[in-house]
Structure formats: structure tokens, C-alpha cells
Amino acid sequence: MARPRSITDERLLAAAETVIGRCGPGFTLAQVAAEAGVAVGTAGQRFGSKAGLLQALSRRATTRAVEQMRECADSAEFSDDPIVGLRSAAVTVYASLGDAEEAANHLGQLGVDIGDPVLRSLLGEHYAAVEAELARLVGVAASELPHAPSVPRAARALLAVINGVSLDWSIRPEGRLADRLAEDVDAVLAAWRGREGA
């Protein structure tokens, strides 16, 4: 009978996320192992390689992003106002990006991901999943957004806003990222509601 794993994948992936935020794309499996408090061979055995670890991390990020969006949108606080739920879900996608230095390190890893065919494909799946969840939430709020484009186009536009804001803020960090995301998402939603001056 196989022994139960005492070190979970989640523990290793959380350590990898922390190390990438601290070190950027030049991180090593040894650094991840040290952060997780395990032997170096454990991370390698679990994921096979640094590439395998990054693939697992990408899949985890996609699942977590959609779960967090749903939790924000479906929470009791927002249940009576679908626009507030949509706004909260959009803003939460990059809520864990961290401070400017950490965000820049994650941005450096993004550049590596784009250059790798497998990681680029997983990144495409991530964006598609976030866009699909935005589309679901735009559909719920559609009656309150009379000036919005079609649901698919509105979801794509919101995805572009939050991706663009996170990228711009990573390079030019002024204020808090969450505040900047909220301001720009609010501007779009206000226009779609017909309240440009709000």
C-alpha cells in the first residue's frame, strides 16, 4: 500500500508562487523546496521538472481565479446587485499580485510563459476561463447595462481592461493595484449603465 503524501501539491505550488514573486523567472526548484520546507528531490519527483511545476502552477491559477471570481460575485453582500458582483469579480482576478516588485517578478515569469508553447497554451486557457466567467456575470447584469456591447464583446473588453491595468501598474505602480483596477472597471461599467459622469 502506498504511503499517503505528507507534502501536498498545494504546499509546493504555494511555495513556487511565493518564490516567483520574490525571485522572478530565474527561480530554482531548490528555492521552491526550501520555501516549502522539503528536500529538493521532492519538488522534482512531484512535477518532473521546473517546466512541469510551472504547468501545474498555471492550471492552479486558472482554477483559483474562477473560484475567487464566483465567490466574490455570489457572496451575500453582492447578491442583490449583479453589477457590484461583476465589478468585484473583475477586480479580484489580480488581487493577489502583491506589491510592485513582486508584480514585476510575476510579469517577468509571464514573459517566459509566453515564449513556451505549452505554457502559452495554458495561459490562453486561463484567459478563456476568466473571460467565460466575466461573460456569465455580464449576462446576469445585462438588464442593468443598457449601453454595453454584446455579452461576449463586453466580457472580452473587461478582460482587456483588467489585463491592461495589471500590466501597466506592474510597470508604473502608482497607488494600490486594487484601487486602480476598481477605478478603471468602474469607468467602463458606468458608461455601459449610461452614467458617464458618475
Side-chain angles (χ1 to χ4, degrees), residues 23-153:
C23 304
F27 80 96
T28 65
L29 287 179
Q31 290 170 314
V32 173
E35 180 68 24
V38 301
V40 176
T42 301
Q45 289 171 357
R46 192 69 55 88
F47 300 105
S49 64
K50 183 176 175 179
L53 173 67
L54 288 168
Q55 291 166 23
L57 192 59
S58 182
R59 290 183 185 98
R60 171 184 177 259
T62 298
T63 300
R64 286 179 63 199
V66 173
E67 287 173 352
Q68 289 172 346
M69 292 172 75
R70 288 182 182 162
E71 286 173 12
C72 284
D74 296 341
S75 70
E77 181 181 355
F78 304 130
S79 62
D80 293 335
D81 189 341
I83 292 178
V84 175
L86 170 60
R87 173 194 190 268
S88 178
V91 170
T92 198
V93 172
Y94 290 107
S96 65
L97 201 52
D99 62 23
E101 183 177 346
E102 185 177 346
N105 285 332
H106 282 289
L107 186 59
Q109 183 60 54
L110 175 64
V112 171
D113 292 356
I114 290 170
D116 178 280
V118 174
L119 292 172
R120 183 171 60 245
S121 176
L122 289 170
L123 188 59
E125 291 174 18
H126 175 83
Y127 288 153
V130 171
E131 185 176 333
E133 187 59 20
L134 288 170
R136 183 184 76 83
L137 296 170
V138 169
V140 171
S143 64
E144 303 291 324
L145 300 168
H147 300 287
S150 68
V151 168
R153 187 173 294 169

